Amino acid sequence: QVAPQVAPQVAPQVAQVAPQAAPAPAEPCAGLSRIQALTCQWQEESEKCIQQKCQDCSGDQCLSCQKDTKLINECCRDNQKATASPSLCKSAALAEDINSCINSRCNGCAGEQCQVCKEDENTISECCEGDYHNVELPEICGHHDESHSCSGLAREERLTCSWGEEVRDCMKTFCRCDTDDGPDADACKLCQDNMAQISMCCDQHHLSASPPKICTDAILTLDVNNCIDTSCSSCEGEQSCKLCKEDTNLVNQCCIDHQHGLPPPPMCQHISQLILP
C-alpha cells in the first residue's frame, strides 16, 4: 500500500509594515522673520552651549552653573549673530556690567571689608540704577522688587516709590490690619486714612527724594483742614460749626490757598467737582 500524499502546509504570509518615523520636533525658530530667526537661533545655540558646559554638574551645583552670568556671556559671545541680542544675553551682559560697577566701587578693599562693601545697599542701588529699556534686572538688584514694583525706575523715582511703600507698610503695622486680632475691614480702612498718622509715617521713613503722593496728599489734607478750622473758629454751636466746615466754597478756597503747586488731594478733587463753573 502506498501512503496518501499530504499537501505541505504553507504558513500564512504576514505583511511587513515599515515602522513610521517619529515626527521631527518643531523648529523653535521656524516661521519667524529673518532678523527674529537669527535672534532666536542665537538664544537657542547659547542655551545649548550652557547645557554642555554644565553637563557634568548635579543638583544645586547645576542650577548655579546655569545661572552663572560670566559663563552665559561667554556662550553668547561664542554664538553671536549679526542681529539684536536675545533676552538671555542682554540680561547676562547687564548683570556683568553691574557686578563690574560694584567691584570697581569696592576696589582697594580687603577681606571682610570687601564683602561688606559689595553687599552695601547704597553701592548696589547706585550700580543698579538706570534706564535698561525693559531688560530684566539681575538677582543682585532683586531686593528693590519686593511686594511692589519700584525696580527699573531711575534713582529719584525709585526712592520716591520705595518711600511710599514704606509708608504703606508703616500704616499697616500701626493699624494692625494684617494681624488676626486686628480691626475689621471698615475700621482698618478708617485707620489707614488717618492723615495725621500717615504724615508721621512719612516723617519716620523720609528718603532723599520727592515725596510720594500718599505723603503729599496727607500734608495737603492736614493744611486744608487747619485752614477750615481756623476759618470756622468763631462759629458757635455744633450745628453752626458743622455747616461752616462743610461749606463747599470755604473748603474749595482752602484747597486753592494750600495747593503749593502739588496735585490736589482726594478731598479737594471731590470738592472741586461740586463747585459750579
Side-chain angles (χ1 to χ4, degrees), residues 85-154:
S85 300
S87 58
L88 172 76
C89 300
K90 285 180 182 176
S91 296
L94 175 59
E96 284 298 289
D97 285 347
I98 288 171
N99 284 330
S100 175
C101 168
I102 293 169
N103 289 334
S104 174
R105 288 174 183 269
C106 297
N107 186 35
C109 64
E112 187 179 344
Q113 184 189 12
C114 265
Q115 190 65 24
V116 171
C117 176
K118 290 177 181 179
E119 291 176 357
D120 179 72
E121 187 171 345
N122 290 329
T123 301
I124 294 172
S125 176
E126 288 172 4
C127 287
C128 287
E129 73 179 28
D131 182 4
Y132 298 121
H133 306 289
N134 298 321
V135 177
E136 183 182 355
L137 285 169
E139 287 184 8
I140 194 171
C141 301
H143 66 287
H144 296 294
D145 187 15
E146 297 166 359
S147 60
H148 50 86
S149 182
C150 299
S151 65
L153 298 175

Side-chain angles (χ1 to χ4, degrees), residues 220-270:
L220 294 180
T221 300
L222 289 174
D223 282 353
V224 170
N225 284 333
N226 286 335
C227 170
I228 294 167
D229 289 341
T230 302
S231 300
C232 297
S233 60
S234 60
C235 66
E236 294 181 1
E238 184 178 344
Q239 185 63 25
S240 174
C241 284
K242 185 174 184 295
L243 289 171
C244 177
K245 291 180 179 182
E246 291 178 352
D247 181 84
T248 52
N249 289 316
L250 170 63
V251 176
N252 187 57
Q253 190 58 50
C254 283
C255 284
I256 293 170
D257 293 344
H258 294 271
Q259 189 169 348
H260 305 301
L262 295 167
M267 71 171 293
C268 292
Q269 291 176 357
H270 174 70

Side-chain angles (χ1 to χ4, degrees), residues 203-215:
D203 289 341
Q204 290 169 8
H205 296 273
H206 183 273
L207 296 174
S208 300
S210 301
K213 193 170 189 305
I214 189 174
C215 294

